[in-house]
Amino acid sequence: MAEYNRVSECVGLITLRNPPVNALSAAVRQGIVDTVQRALSDPNVKSVVICGQNGIFCGGADIKEFRSNMTGPPLIPMIHAIESANKPVVAAIEGSALGGGLELALGCHYRIAHSKARLGLPEVSLGLLPAAGGSQRLPRLIGVPAALNLITTGRHVTAAEALQLGIVDQVTDHNTVAAAVKFALSVAGRSLDPRRISTHPCPQQPDLDALFEEVMQKVRQSARGAIAPIACVQAVRAAATLPYAQGMERERELMATLFTSGQARALQYCFFAERAVGRWRMPSGARWDTSKPRPVHKAAVIGLGTMGRGITVALAQTGLSVIAVETQEKQLMEAKQAISGMLERGAKGRGVAPALDGVIYSQNIQAVADVDLVIEAVFEDIALKTKVFQQLSAVCKPGTLLCTNTSALDVDQLASETPNPELVVGMHFFAPAHVMKLLEVVYGPRSSPQAVATAMQLGKKMGKASVAVGNCRGFVGNRMLKPYIEEAFFLLEEGATPELVDQALEEFGFPMGVFRMSDLSGLDVGWRVRKGDGLVEPGTASGRSARIRQGRRYSPLGDLLCEEGRFGQKTGRGWYQYDKPGSRVARFDPWLHSFLGAYRAQHGLVARRIDHQEVLERCLYALINEGFHILDDGIAAGPEDIDVIYVSGYGWPRHRGGPMFYANMVGLAKVLERLEHYQQLHPEVPHLQPSSLLRRLVASGSPPIHKWGEAIKKLHSQL
Ligand SMILES: CC/C=C\CC(=O)SCCNC(=O)CCNC(=O)[C@H](O)C(C)(C)COP(=O)(O)OP(=O)(O)OC[C@H]1O[C@@H](n2cnc3c(N)ncnc32)[C@H](O)[C@@H]1OP(=O)(O)O
């Protein structure tokens, strides 16, 4: 797990070997301890180089070991032994040096990095802090403000930035190990005292208290209830104010609390879930590893409204050549200007040239004749989309993949209107499409595995968290959102206020509660859908019957606001009021509160006191319950798919792992009991009726989430 060689006669070369990322497993740590000892005791060795195999230095501690009884030598004494060595030790950093990997490098006396390497302490994103001395050494090396930035955000820096910050001593474009060996030879015999970071004091920083207060305030605000960023600030404060040994003790105490926390479990679950969704599978048995994607060199986007523009930018930024089609000349010109602006801003942020030449604009759908893949992004209307698909089928070369960007329409219905339904998949982007991480790749019963593989691969290229899901109303994300929003409306009828509901959800960790979010996205969006579903009736009806539609409880509150022209931020009025249309600061609106009072009186409803607990249970458990239906229906292959969708696209707090992980943490029996309780109180609300899968999982002893897949298979085979 760590290989030892002597090179250039007097340099001991230690190579970490643990594919794919040379994580510091027990065996690797043991290997390092043994090989360092060997190099230090060999009188022929004057200096030592540590590198990683296959172009990657080290991806940090082995995260998989965190949930087991950890064995093998601990990291801290291992790094101390390197730092206190009497021969220079040089880290040769290629690929990544992250977490424990960078902490190992900080224990070395010198660091040489390849220009393409990335370095960072991302422990905070796993609910931890750099507790192998990283929180104490980094501030001593680069100063408190820069260390706070890196440790509390977990961001990775390029080799160039690492050099500028003083994390590395040299950057090379050539063979990093060769450069490190040469460097190691040049420093052999020099005094190592100034190179032992733990012996340095932190660089002086004026007004330390004010700095920490300011950073702590910022971190608390952005953490939305996550505890690791706060512990990171506390650990760096210890580095800045205490001697090294005491700082290490503080680091250890803070880590002990984080390590066993539910948040760390949730965040580490998210890390693996994001990778697991790439290993997609369909109910037909088709899978990621047996389905070969088609090459996509040229793509097209049809319809350049908000979504089409974002999709064009996301595609062009991957280096693809894109044909962007909009039939109206004025809209085409406006879109061209907007897309160029987005590409320029994006390129500036990434320090690269904008891919302006990668996009060709056209008013004519014939321009897409030779593309490999088309994404249709016209208005959300099945008749219009069907017409576009028929045109595309006539125009495109054989084998072109036809994708529809839709948030709710029936992908299978669209596919059935084309001669090659196997080439059709949905690609549900989220606005703004070039920014938002989530992509739902929707397959119908006739979509070919190759079409799914191609869309998934393209999503990955665009940097999206791409999740393959089955075709149903609302797919996964929006289908689960419906009962969540409905419960929020019902709570208003029963006595809650938008402020109360939003506060409960925001304290839980959502960036915005349901009503602030509805004001942002526009109340008219849901209104249009409900009209299409035949649910909206004139607002004069009163009494209980006005609130039962299509045989189930219905709240017309959202419709009534729309009838008043209150569409949210864009009209300056919605569930809240705004200074002017388009402004973003939501304010209490006395009109809304007297409207709610009058509405309750008209419908004979008596307002009661509702607390945060009830808001969370009704909104979140209704959403989770729909998640169980989705799993039972085979629309999502596993709980990870649902959780990645909610964390990457719907603002579910990452430190709570996603709705299905949260249900697992709360306890399935408790979720079931609360759903049953609310269902008894509200028998006319079908989404509070516990899903049969939830019941069956509880009956089978509530297996932990990583065993749900197995349990579901077993339960289905018993049906
Ligand atoms: C006392 C505590 C001291 C230290 C604490 C730590 O060090 S915590 C760990 C800190 N390190 C990280 O957070 C890095 C995590 N890894 C990454 O960011 C990326 O994997 C990386 C290294 C940039 C490589 O990215 P790439 O896109 O090339 O590969 P991918 O992410 O798909 O990973 C490939 C497979 O490796 C598994 N893996 C990655 N890192 C670790 C790790 N640190 N421990 C265990 N396993 C790791 C990853 O899960 C992938 O496997 P798969 O089977 O596909 O899930």
Side-chain angles (χ1 to χ4, degrees):
M1 287 295 187
E3 189 181 277
Y4 181 72
N5 286 294
R6 187 137 57 83
V7 297
S8 299
E9 288 182 23
C10 58
V11 177
L13 178 65
I14 296 171
T15 308
L16 313 187
R17 294 199 184 282
N18 184 16
V21 301
N22 297 323
L24 295 164
S25 63
V28 173
R29 298 196 304 274
Q30 187 63 59
I32 297 174
V33 168
D34 294 345
T35 50
V36 166
Q37 173 63 34
R38 189 168 160 193
L40 297 184
S41 56
D42 182 343
N44 295 315
V45 167
K46 303 284 177 253
S47 43
V48 183
V49 168
I50 303 181
C51 66
Q53 74 167 359
N54 292 339
I56 174 162
F57 180 70
C58 175
D62 186 340
I63 306 166
K64 289 192 184 104
E65 278 186 355
F66 290 170
R67 297 290 143 234
S68 59
N69 283 336
M70 292 193 47
T71 56
L75 269 179
I76 294 177
M78 180 192 97
I79 294 172
H80 268 286
I82 292 171
E83 192 186 56
S84 44
N86 55 5
K87 298 176 186 177
V89 184
V90 181
I93 301 172
E94 292 176 306
S96 301
L98 297 173
L102 180 54
E103 293 178 288
L104 166 66
L106 291 174
C108 297
H109 305 110
Y110 300 94
R111 287 156 292 281
I112 311 292
H114 189 267
S115 52
K116 295 217 168 96
R118 298 237 154 199
L119 299 89
L121 293 174
E123 285 88 339
V124 68
S125 60
L126 299 168
L128 304 174
L129 62 86
S135 76
Q136 304 304 299
R137 283 197 179 88
L138 194 65
R140 285 176 161 78
L141 184 64
I142 66 172
V144 169
L148 272 172
N149 173 273
L150 258 61
I151 293 174
T152 57
T153 61
R155 76 184 177 90
H156 303 180
V157 296
T158 60
E161 189 179 351
L163 183 66
Q164 195 204 340
L165 287 169
I167 300 176
V168 299
D169 302 290
Q170 199 180 87
V171 173
T172 177
D173 282 326
H174 306 289
N175 185 318
T176 315
V177 177
V181 168
K182 190 169 163 205
F183 187 91
L185 286 168
S186 74
V187 293
R190 277 202 209 160
S191 161
L192 291 172
D193 286 345
R195 306 301 308 177
R196 296 188 174 106
I197 299 172
S198 73
T199 63
H200 300 182
C202 260
Q204 287 287 319
Q205 178 68 39
D207 219 348
L208 209 55
D209 284 341
L211 170 76
F212 276 105
E213 210 168 292
E214 189 192 326
V215 172
M216 188 59 104
Q217 220 169 17
K218 263 197 211 150
V219 164
R220 273 191 210 285
Q221 248 171 21
S222 58
R224 296 198 266 132
I227 55 175
I230 291 158
C232 286
V233 179
Q234 291 168 326
V236 176
R237 189 179 186 117
T241 54
L242 298 173
Y244 175 74
Q246 285 175 40
M248 285 299 285
E249 182 51 25
R250 184 78 181 119
E251 183 190 88
R252 192 194 60 74
E253 286 165 7
L254 290 163
M255 178 64 157
T257 311
L258 296 180
F259 197 74
T260 50
S261 68
Q263 293 197 4
R265 276 183 64 188
L267 287 159
Q268 288 157 30
Y269 164 83
C270 286
F271 176 85
F272 289 113
E274 279 165 357
R275 282 148 185 89
V277 297
R279 298 188 282 272
W280 56 271
R281 57 190 191 278
M282 289 159 70
S284 62
R287 301 158 46 102
W288 65 284
D289 51 351
T290 51
S291 312
K292 198 166 175 256
R294 275 167 178 254
V296 176
H297 303 293
K298 202 168 178 185
V301 179
I302 313 290
L304 299 180
T306 310
M307 290 309 291
R309 292 174 191 187
I311 296 168
T312 304
V313 172
L315 288 169
Q317 282 177 344
T318 67
L320 281 179
S321 88
V322 187
I323 314 282
V325 179
E326 173 61 62
T327 49
Q328 304 299 313
E329 189 183 354
K330 183 165 172 282
Q331 272 95 319
L332 184 72
M333 288 305 124
E334 282 171 5
K336 183 175 179 180
Q337 206 179 3
I339 290 168
S340 302
M342 288 191 267
L343 283 171
E344 274 162 2
R345 283 191 295 277
K348 199 169 161 198
R350 285 176 293 131
V352 295
L356 298 177
D357 295 343
V359 187
I360 294 167
Y361 298 87
S362 175
Q363 277 180 262
N364 191 346
I365 203 162
Q366 299 285 345
V368 309
D370 67 341
V371 302
D372 306 303
L373 175 145
V374 185
I375 302 177
E376 160 284 303
V378 301
F379 192 67
E380 194 80 336
D381 174 89
I382 191 79
L384 178 61
K385 285 188 188 274
T386 304
K387 193 171 148 210
V388 171
F389 263 61
Q390 284 164 347
Q391 285 174 330
L392 288 171
S393 301
V395 164
C396 292
K397 68 181 183 190
T400 299
L401 201 69
L402 303 183
C403 308
T404 174
N405 171 58
T406 173
S407 58
L409 296 180
D410 184 345
V411 172
D412 193 37
Q413 188 184 338
L414 266 178
S416 65
E417 304 287 348
T418 74
N420 299 99
E422 73 281 4
L423 295 175
V424 175
V425 289
M427 286 181 94
H428 179 202
F429 287 85
F430 290 73
H434 59 302
V435 176
M436 289 291 286
K437 280 287 285 177
L438 178 61
L439 173 69
E440 283 181 319
V441 171
V442 186
Y443 55 80
R446 285 176 287 182
S447 306
S448 71
Q450 193 178 42
V452 177
T454 309
M456 287 293 282
Q457 191 189 54
L458 185 60
K460 191 171 177 195
K461 259 194 176 169
M462 288 188 277
K464 306 286 178 204
S466 310
V467 187
V469 300
N471 181 38
C472 67
R473 186 77 196 268
F475 315 132
V476 169
N478 287 347
R479 177 169 158 183
M480 288 169 69
L481 205 60
K482 190 164 175 267
Y484 167 82
I485 294 174
E486 282 182 354
E487 277 307 310
F489 283 14
F490 296 161
L491 285 162
L492 291 193
E493 292 186 335
E494 292 166 35
T497 61
E499 288 81 3
L500 175 108
V501 173
D502 283 353
Q503 197 191 354
L505 294 167
E506 287 163 20
E507 279 175 12
F508 179 79
F510 282 99
M512 272 186 214
V514 61
F515 293 108
R516 287 215 294 139
M517 179 48 92
S518 163
D519 272 1
L520 173 70
S521 48
L523 275 69
D524 49 325
V525 179
W527 194 32
R528 210 177 312 121
V529 175
R530 294 191 296 274
K531 276 183 180 168
D533 289 344
L535 283 164
V536 176
E537 288 169 9
T540 48
S542 68
R544 190 176 151 77
S545 60
R547 298 187 301 107
I548 297 285
R549 296 195 189 161
Q550 299 178 0
R552 48 184 290 175
R553 181 171 172 185
Y554 179 81
S555 170
L557 279 171
D559 307 336
L560 295 174
L561 259 63
C562 287
E563 281 173 25
E564 295 285 330
R566 298 177 72 105
F567 292 167
Q569 285 183 8
K570 58 185 158 194
T571 57
R573 296 279 185 276
W575 300 104
Y576 295 91
Q577 61 173 319
Y578 300 84
D579 286 345
K580 55 179 190 318
S583 96
R584 290 182 168 245
V585 183
R587 295 187 200 290
F588 174 90
D589 188 347
W591 179 91
L592 193 272
H593 288 257
S594 43
F595 160 79
L596 284 177
Y599 172 88
R600 290 185 197 118
Q602 185 194 0
H603 292 275
L605 296 161
V606 180
R608 61 183 174 83
R609 213 186 136 279
I610 289 169
D611 60 14
H612 283 197
Q613 174 85 356
E614 181 174 350
V615 173
L616 293 182
E617 287 182 351
R618 287 193 42 199
C619 293
L620 302 185
Y621 292 177
L623 176 148
I624 287 166
N625 195 35
E626 196 61 39
F628 281 110
H629 284 299
I630 283 171
L631 287 176
D632 213 5
D633 296 348
I635 295 295
E640 295 87 357
D641 301 75
I642 295 177
D643 287 334
V644 169
I645 286 172
Y646 260 80
V647 169
S648 354
Y650 289 83
W652 185 283
R654 194 177 169 87
H655 61 269
R656 293 193 190 265
M660 307 321 282
F661 182 86
Y662 179 67
N664 173 67
M665 288 291 269
V666 169
L668 298 188
K670 164 98 187 286
V671 174
L672 175 60
E673 181 267 308
R674 298 314 288 158
L675 280 167
E676 281 170 338
H677 166 79
Y678 290 117
Q679 222 269 316
Q680 267 175 7
L681 295 176
H682 307 283
E684 71 288 19
V685 181
H687 62 231
L688 292 173
Q689 170 80 48
S691 102
S692 82
L693 176 61
L694 173 59
R695 282 188 191 287
R696 284 178 283 146
L697 284 172
V698 172
S700 68
S702 299
I705 193 161
H706 65 276
K707 298 230 164 106
W708 288 7
E710 237 171 82
I712 294 171
K713 236 191 245 163
K714 205 163 141 201
L715 292 169
H716 279 180
S717 69
Q718 287 164 358
L719 286 178

